[in-house]
Amino acid sequence: RGYLENITAIGPRTVGSPENEVLAVNYLLEQIRGIERESTDAHKISVDIQRPTGSFSIDFLGGFTSYYANITNVVVKLEPRGGAEHAVLSNCHFDSVPNTPGASDDAVSCAVMLEILNTLSKSSESLQHAVIFLFNGAEENILQASHGFITQHEWAKSIRAFINLEAAGVGGKELVFQTGPENPWLVQAYVVAAKHPFASVVAQEVFQSGIIPADTDFRIYRDFGNVPGIDLAFIENGYIYHTEYDTSDRILTDSIQRAGDNILAVLKYLATSEKLAKSFEYRHGNVVFFDVLGLFVLAYPARVGTIMNYITAAIAFFYLSKKVLQPKPRAVHNLKKLFTAFSLTLTSWVCTAVAVLMVAVFVSIIGRALSWYTHFYVSVSLYGTAAAAKLILVHMLAKKFFYKNMNEQYLGDVFFDASLMIWSIALAAMTRMGLCSAFICTLWVAFPLLTKLMIHKEFSQKGATIKFIAMYMLGMFVPYLYMLYVSWTVFEMFTPVMGRSGSEIPPDMVLAGFIVIFTMILSSYFINFIYLVKSTKTTLVTLTTVFVVTLTLVCSGIFFPYSSDAANPKPKRVFLQHTSRRFHDIDGNVVKSDSGIWINGFDYNGISHITPHVPEINDTIRTPCEEQAPFCGLPWILPVHFMFRLVKNWYLPAPEILPRSPIQFKLLSKELMPRNSVRLSFELSGPSHMSLYVRPRTGSALSRWSLGDGMPVASLGGDYFVFYSRGLHAAPWRFWVELTAPEKHSDGIVSLAIAAHYFFGEDQKSPQLYALLERFPNWTFSSGWTCTYDLFVF
C-alpha cells in the first residue's frame, strides 16, 4: 500500500509530463535500487531505462496508426546468479489518463510488482528462469510502451510467456479475462498456482469479440511479440475508472493482498517450470476454463470439451427421440406436440424481447435513459419484471386457449422436453462454432436431464408433489447457481461501461437485452411449472404492478442517473476542449478560423442534465461539421468519432487560445516518384500529444507513408488517423506521405490536419475553461484541456 500511495501522490501521470517521465521514474528507480541492495546472493538484478521511438498500426477503434518518440520504460530483470536463457514477463503501466490519479489503472499493479520483486529477491531459493518486470510508461497512449519494449528491447527475445496486470474497475477481484493464444499450459499454471482464482473463458470470448471498447498490452505482446500470456484486470466499481475518484483509498488492502498472492504464486510457478523453456512444444490447443465461485478453477482442453459437448447433446437427442417414439403409433402426435411446445417457447422469448426492448426505446426517447445507473435495482424492477410478466402471459394465454382441457402433467413434461431440446441445439451449434463458452450449455443439458431421469418415476406416479419440486430444485441447483454467478460478473462489468460508451448506443436497450437474455435462461426450465400450477394470476399481477409503478417513477425522473456520493460516486463523464481552429488554403492563407469550447458527454444522455446548471450549453450550439476537413474539422484525440453523433456534442464560442508552445509544421520537400506519385515530406513539433488527420483530395489516393509498416490504414469513414505522443527531449517528428495524383491538381492532392493537445502544464487550461469547469455540478467528472486544430492543403 505504501508503494501505491506514493505513486498516486505524484498526481496525474500523463505521458510527456514531468510527473510521468521524471518523478514516477525516479520513484520507481529509488525503490528498485533499495530492493537490489537487500537482495540475496542467489539472484542478480539488472535495471534498464528504455526510451524507444517507433510506429505501428492497429485495428482497434476502427483502425489507426500510432507513432511514439522517446517514451519511457523501466525494466528490471531478476535472474539466477549464473544467468538464464528464458524469461517470464510481468507487465504494468505507471502512466495515467489526464486529470486522474490512476490508482487502480494501473498504479496498484506497479505497487504489487514492486512488492513481488522485493519478495522474490529476498528468497534464498534460486529461480530456474529470469523474471522481467516491465514498468511501462505509455499504455494509456494506446499501448505504445509495450510495443517499444517487445519490438526493440534486447531482453524481449528471451521472453516465453507474460502476465499483464490491468484494470477496468477499481479494486475487487482481478479477473483472468484473456489467455493464450492457445498454449493451454499457461492456464494450467494459473489453475495450479493461483491461491484465489477468478477466471472465465466466457469473459475472454466476450472481450475478444470487441463488444467492450477497450484493449490492453496483451494484444501487443501477442501480435507483435508472438508471445502467449495471461491478462488480468480488476473489474469491480468501473463507475470511477479513469476519473478523479480513482484514488488509492478506494482500493481495499484485501484486494491488493489477494492480487499479490495470486501473481506472486503464478510468476514463481512459471519461473521454475520446465515448460517455460519449451513453451513452443506445448502451444497447440485452446482451453475451457472457469472458476467455481472463486474457490477453484476447472480447466480442460477444448478438444476434450468438444467431445464432452457432443456426447451430452447426443444423449439428450437420444432421450428426446426415445420419448417421441414411444409408443410408436403416437410418434407423429408426440413429435407434433414437442415441436409445438418448442415453437411456443421460442415465440414467448421473441415476444418478451420485443416487449422489453420497446419499453427501453420508450424510456430512451423520453429522456430517461440510465435511470438505473446509480440504482441498479431499478433495471431489475423495470426490465426484469416486464420480461418475466410477458413470458408468463404468453404461456398463460397458450394454456387457457390453445391447451384448453389438456392434462397439466403432460404439458409440464412436454415443455420440459422443449427446453431441453433448445439447450441441446444451442450446445451443438456453439460447439460447432468453436466457442469454449459452450460449456454453459452443457451444464443446462446435463443437470436437467439427469434430474429428469431421477425424478421421472415420482412425477409420472404422483405429479408435482412437494417431494418432486424439492428434488427438481436440488437437481437444478448447479446450473442456476453458476448462471447467477456469471450474471453478476456480466452486470458488474457492463453496467459501468454504459456510462462511457458514447452517444450512439442506447444503454437501456443494451441492459434490457442482457436482462431479457438472463430471464430466458433462468426461466427455461421453469416454463413447465406455468402449466403445472393451477393459476399464475397472482404472480402476473404482482410483476405487472411492480413494473407499472417503476415505469411511472422512471418517467417522473425520480431516479437521477448520477451520484456525487463521496463513498460511492457514479459520475457523468464530460470532456471539454478549448479549441482554436484555423483552416488554410493551398497557398497557406487562413480562409477560416474560430475558437470555442468543444463539449462531449460520454453517455447517451448528452448534456440534458447539465443545461439547467450551465444554461449556455444547450441545443442551440450543436457542433457543425466542416465537410471539407478530415474528421469534420474537430480535434479528436482518438478516432472515436463513430461513437458520437454531432447532434450530441456542442461547440460553445470562446476567445482564441495562444499556447506558449504552439505547433511548428513545415513542408520539407516535394518529390515526384514513379507511377505518377508524389512524396511530401514534413517536419512537425509541438506538445506531447498530437493527432494527424489525412484525407486525399478527389482523384488522389494515399499509397504509402513512413509510418507503421508503410501501408496506410484508413479509419472508419475513410480518413486516415495518426496518434502521436512523445516523452521529454524528443526530436521534431519527420514523416512522409506518398500519393498517386492526377496530372492536374490545382486544388491540391491532400488535406492534412493537425490537432495539438495540451494535457498538462501552463497551457492545459485557459481561464475561460477553468471558469466553465467550476460551474459543472459535483456529480460530473469534467475533464478539460486546450487544443489547436490546423488544416493545410498541399
Side-chain angles (χ1 to χ4, degrees), residues 667 669-682 700-705 736-745 748-750 794:
L667 175 67
S669 65
K670 179 179 178 180
E671 303 172 67
L672 293 176
M673 308 297 287
R675 296 186 295 278
N676 212 31
S677 293
V678 178
R679 176 178 289 185
L680 303 173
S681 298
F682 301 96
S700 302
L702 183 62
S703 55
R704 296 174 60 220
W705 59 10
W736 55 261
V737 296
E738 196 169 297
L739 300 105
T740 55
E743 291 184 11
K744 296 181 180 179
H745 46 261
I749 59 174
V750 64
F794 299 96

Side-chain angles (χ1 to χ4, degrees), residues 137-169:
E139 189 272 349
E140 297 296 357
N141 283 10
I142 315 301
L143 322 178
Q144 291 178 334
S146 56
H147 181 269
F149 172 78
I150 203 66
T151 59
Q152 298 177 40
H153 201 282
E154 60 177 343
W155 293 348
K157 300 182 184 70
S158 66
I159 294 170
R160 300 293 173 261
F162 69 89
I163 297 178
N164 183 48
L165 313 181
E166 256 299 346

Side-chain angles (χ1 to χ4, degrees), residues 138-216:
E139 189 272 349
E140 297 296 357
N141 283 10
I142 315 301
L143 322 178
Q144 291 178 334
S146 56
H147 181 269
F149 172 78
I150 203 66
T151 59
Q152 298 177 40
H153 201 282
E154 60 177 343
W155 293 348
K157 300 182 184 70
S158 66
I159 294 170
R160 300 293 173 261
F162 69 89
I163 297 178
N164 183 48
L165 313 181
E166 256 299 346
V170 178
K173 299 178 179 180
E174 76 288 351
L175 172 68
V176 172
F177 65 100
Q178 287 191 100
T179 65
E182 298 194 276
N183 288 273
W185 67 277
L186 269 176
V187 177
Q188 291 296 340
Y190 178 83
V191 170
V192 172
K195 295 183 178 181
H196 315 285
F198 185 35
S200 173
V201 74
V202 178
Q204 173 172 292
E205 292 182 340
V206 168
F207 188 84
Q208 293 181 351
S209 71
I211 293 174
I212 300 176
D215 218 330
T216 75

Side-chain angles (χ1 to χ4, degrees), residues 536-553:
T536 52
K537 280 185 180 179
T538 304
T539 305
L540 187 60
V541 168
T542 303
L543 289 169
T544 305
T545 302
V546 173
F547 164 71
V548 170
V549 170
T550 307
L551 181 61
T552 303
L553 293 174

